[in-house]
């Protein structure tokens, strides 16, 4: 729940004691567009336009308690859109008044339009989120959900709504083929109905589709609510759901009250629905996968945020190969929200925050960007405190530069920034056995990385759009 055939796929390549995480010279972040509410993914169209998902700020409609917001209610409205920035810098909104849910009255933690990606033919595909029990989405899913049992803990903290209290938001938790000229939507896959009837991870019945990647004739989707990764044929003919495993940690990571005091009663009441106690003084945290990318080897790589209590340095990256088995590829990150590969085979890891989200204001947490080279070397390209705050999406532009959705929580708080001024150095040929094996495992000799967008378009992005 959330607020996404090689020999060494389960090996963690880079331990701090071996290679550390060096930083490069401080990068410059150039604002391309701002004023976006609860900004999510950014991507590029065939004409070089930048698209930014704007989930919106919900509204004054019906509400439901959401595990994404530690069971605070998210309320429905029609405040979402898709922000388009043309190559000449013109900013327009498409798909306006789209269905949205968010906390009220803050407007934080929005879910709605999550991601837009294009296939190799230029067709557009839209992913929508939800962040809650899908039976509460509309009357049809409420009726469907009544036929399937829910875990006892879920019934206590985020149960089904009454029929007159459903969100009436049937466009959420879906994958669509979308016509951006007319706004017409053709549903390819309904994550809400699938979660109700299949519940891939076998835990609470929640869905929040969070990240979309297109590769060939297949959509790869990360569901942070359902703790699952999906492979879905773009024609809707077939689909596969892959559960992402829990994280087992010592119960000592749970929040504790100061000496002589007690935890707030409301938190104590919610704990059974947030964490699972396991033998040996340990707890099992839900993965909360939030970012995905197709690697140079054709495998699907999935990064996780991790669930409550949101521990630092415990987020993992999984590799899912042809056998559909998620194996830990890297670990030691914090609150991953997105991944992508550049044309040199470097894996770029975006951290929403370097600190636990419990440490401060979720709208302004210090995020970072980390590069993992094919030999496993980690380099911090943008360190915490250098301008990334609650960062929520990443892509490589047609100009080869990195674009990041920044300040991803809050009304009109979001922006997309271009990362400029990075001092790049050629990654040295690895001489160790570790480096050679790492290169083999990620297919680093591949000349073209499969990323979130079609191959390079040959046009310079936004030549006039420094600031909108």
């Amino acid at each position: 729940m959330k607020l996404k055939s090689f020999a060494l796929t389960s090996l963690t390549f880079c331990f701090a004691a071996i290679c550390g995480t060096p930083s490069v010279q401080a990068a410059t972040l150039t604002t391309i567009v701002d004023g976006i509410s609860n900004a999510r993914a950014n991507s590029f169209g065939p004409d070089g336009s930048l698209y930014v998902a704007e989930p919106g700020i919900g509204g004054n409609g019906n509400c439901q308690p959401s595990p994404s917001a530690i069971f605070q209610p998210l309320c429905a409205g029609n405040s979402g859109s898709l922000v388009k920035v043309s190559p000449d810098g013109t900013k327009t909104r498409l798909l306006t008044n789209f269905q949205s849910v968010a906390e009220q009255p803050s407007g934080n933690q929005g879910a709605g339009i999550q991601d837009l990606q294009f296939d190799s033919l230029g067709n557009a595909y839209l992913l929508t989120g939800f962040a809650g029990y899908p039976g509460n989405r509309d009357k049809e899913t409420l009726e469907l959900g009544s036929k399937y049992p829910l875990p006892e803990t879920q019934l206590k903290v985020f149960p089904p709504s009454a029929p007159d209290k459903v969100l009436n938001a049937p466009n959420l938790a879906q994958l669509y083929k979308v016509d951006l000229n007319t706004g017409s939507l053709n549903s390819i896959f309904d994550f809400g109905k699938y979660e109700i009837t299949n519940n891939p991870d076998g835990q609470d019945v929640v869905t929040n589709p969070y990240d979309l990647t297109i590769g060939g004739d297949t959509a790869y989707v990360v569901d942070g609510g359902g703790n699952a990764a999906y492979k879905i044929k773009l024609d809707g003919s077939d689909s596969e759901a892959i559960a992402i495993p829990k994280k087992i940690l010592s119960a000592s990571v749970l929040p504790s009250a100061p000496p002589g005091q007690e935890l707030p009663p409301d938190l104590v009441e919610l704990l059974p629905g947030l964490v699972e106690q396991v033998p040996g003084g340990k707890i099992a945290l839900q993965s909360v996968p939030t970012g995905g990318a197709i690697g140079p080897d054709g495998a699907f790589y999935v990064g996780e945020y991790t669930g409550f209590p949101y521990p630092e340095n415990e987020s993992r990256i999984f590799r899912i190969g042809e056998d559909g088995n998620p194996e830990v590829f890297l670990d030691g990150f914090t609150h991953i929200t997105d991944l992508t590969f550049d044309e040199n085979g470097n894996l770029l890891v975006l951290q929403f925050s370097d600190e636990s989200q419990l440490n401060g204001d979720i709208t302004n947490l210090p995020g970072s960007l980390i590069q993992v080279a094919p030999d496993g070397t980690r380099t911090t390209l943008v360190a915490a405190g250098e301008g990334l705050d609650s960062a929520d999406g990443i892509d490589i532009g047609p100009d080869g530069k990195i674009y990041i959705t920044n300040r991803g929580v809050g009304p009109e708080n979001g922006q997309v920034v271009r990362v400029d001024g990075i001092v790049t150095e050629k990654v040295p040929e690895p001489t160790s056995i570790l480096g050679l094996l790492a290169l083999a495992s990620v297919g680093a000799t591949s000349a073209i990385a499969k990323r979130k967008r079609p191959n390079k378009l040959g046009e310079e992005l936004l030549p006039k759009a420094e600031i909108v």
Side-chain angles (χ1 to χ4, degrees):
M1 66 176 69
K2 163 80 168 79
L3 300 299
K4 235 155 120 338
S5 61
F6 292 95
L8 294 178
T9 53
S10 63
L11 177 65
T12 298
F13 292 126
C14 187
F15 298 93
I18 298 175
C19 56
T21 308
S23 296
V24 298
Q25 179 178 330
T28 299
L29 302 180
T30 302
T31 300
I32 302 300
V33 63
D34 57 14
I36 301 170
S37 296
N38 290 304
R40 260 293 299 130
N42 71 84
S43 58
F44 294 88
D47 67 345
S49 293
L50 170 68
Y51 293 87
V52 192
E54 183 173 45
I57 56 173
N60 59 3
N62 287 339
C63 307
Q64 65 163 352
S66 171
S68 295
I70 315 184
F71 307 121
Q72 295 300 308
L74 301 184
C75 304
N78 296 90
S79 53
S81 71
L82 182 69
V83 178
K84 176 182 178 181
V85 184
S86 300
D88 65 0
T90 302
K91 172 184 171 182
T92 56
R93 277 183 165 84
L94 310 176
L95 307 177
T96 54
N97 302 315
F98 202 91
Q99 293 168 4
S100 167
V101 294
E103 291 179 352
Q104 300 301 323
S106 70
N108 293 342
Q109 302 278 58
I113 293 179
Q114 303 287 96
D115 205 343
L116 179 81
Q117 299 293 334
F118 295 83
D119 66 15
S120 60
L121 300 177
N123 298 307
Y125 298 86
L126 186 77
L127 182 70
T128 61
F130 184 69
Y133 169 56
N136 293 338
R137 187 182 69 184
D138 52 62
K139 290 183 178 179
E140 182 180 359
T141 54
L142 185 66
E143 172 63 23
L144 178 63
S146 68
K147 303 174 183 178
Y148 295 85
L150 294 176
E152 187 66 27
T153 53
Q154 179 169 351
L155 290 172
K156 293 179 179 179
V157 290
F158 55 113
S161 299
D164 63 339
K165 297 298 183 182
V166 296
L167 298 180
N168 297 312
N171 289 344
L172 299 185
Q174 300 238 28
L175 174 64
Y176 295 102
K177 186 175 182 180
V178 57
D179 186 324
L180 296 178
N181 294 316
T182 66
S184 65
L185 302 172
N186 178 27
S187 180
I188 297 172
F189 192 85
D190 189 323
F191 296 92
K193 292 180 179 179
Y194 192 92
E195 175 70 14
I196 290 171
T197 57
N198 295 275
N199 190 13
D201 71 339
Q203 302 176 68
D204 42 23
V205 182
V206 180
T207 187
N208 189 18
Y210 204 78
D211 188 82
L212 171 65
T213 302
I214 303 293
D217 63 352
T218 302
Y220 298 80
V221 175
V222 174
D223 186 339
N227 298 300
Y230 286 84
K231 298 179 181 180
I232 303 166
K233 292 296 183 183
L234 292 176
D235 62 5
S237 63
D238 192 23
S239 64
E240 177 185 5
I242 301 162
I244 306 299
K246 302 173 185 177
K247 178 86 174 187
I248 307 298
L249 289 172
S250 168
S252 64
V253 303
L254 289 172
S256 58
Q261 300 183 30
E262 297 180 351
L263 289 174
D266 55 349
L267 178 57
V268 173
E269 182 180 352
L270 293 175
L271 279 177
L274 290 169
V275 298
E276 176 187 351
Q277 302 284 341
V278 296
K282 297 182 180 298
I283 56 174
L285 306 186
Q286 295 192 23
S287 172
V288 191
T290 45
I294 302 171
D297 57 351
F300 187 36
Y301 290 80
V302 175
E304 68 181 0
Y305 192 94
T306 67
F308 182 88
Y310 313 113
E312 298 172 10
N313 304 313
E314 297 292 351
S315 294
R316 302 166 293 181
I317 298 174
F318 293 86
R319 179 186 182 275
I320 303 175
E322 292 183 0
D323 62 0
N325 181 37
E327 296 181 305
V328 177
F329 177 69
L330 294 168
D331 64 11
F333 297 92
T334 301
H335 293 353
I336 297 171
T337 42
D338 210 353
L339 308 171
T340 195
F341 284 85
D342 68 17
E343 62 185 7
N344 296 316
N346 297 306
L347 173 60
L348 302 176
V349 183
L350 183 65
Q351 297 192 152
F352 180 85
S353 171
D354 282 28
E355 303 173 359
S356 170
Q357 77 166 60
L358 298 180
N359 288 357
D361 177 3
I362 195 172
T363 67
N364 191 33
L365 294 171
S368 63
L369 175 63
I370 298 171
Q371 174 186 281
V372 183
D375 69 351
T377 301
R378 300 187 191 188
T379 303
T380 299
L381 301 183
V382 183
E386 293 182 351
L388 292 181
D389 305 303
S390 303
D392 215 5
I394 187 171
D395 200 10
I396 308 293
D399 55 3
K401 293 190 175 182
I402 301 167
Y403 290 77
I404 293 176
T405 305
N406 198 29
R407 301 175 186 169
V409 179
E412 301 183 353
N413 197 38
Q415 58 183 198
V416 172
V417 296
R418 185 178 63 222
V419 182
D420 294 322
I422 293 178
V423 178
T424 57
E425 298 180 0
K426 177 178 171 57
V427 176
E429 290 296 325
T431 56
S432 67
I433 294 297
L434 176 64
L436 291 171
L437 291 176
L439 278 171
S441 73
V442 299
T445 55
S446 173
I448 300 177
K450 298 180 181 179
R451 299 175 290 198
K452 292 179 179 293
R453 62 175 182 82
N455 291 336
K456 190 171 182 180
L457 303 173
E459 296 185 61
E460 191 73 14
L461 171 74
L462 306 173
K464 301 178 183 178
E466 288 301 311
I467 298 178
V468 176

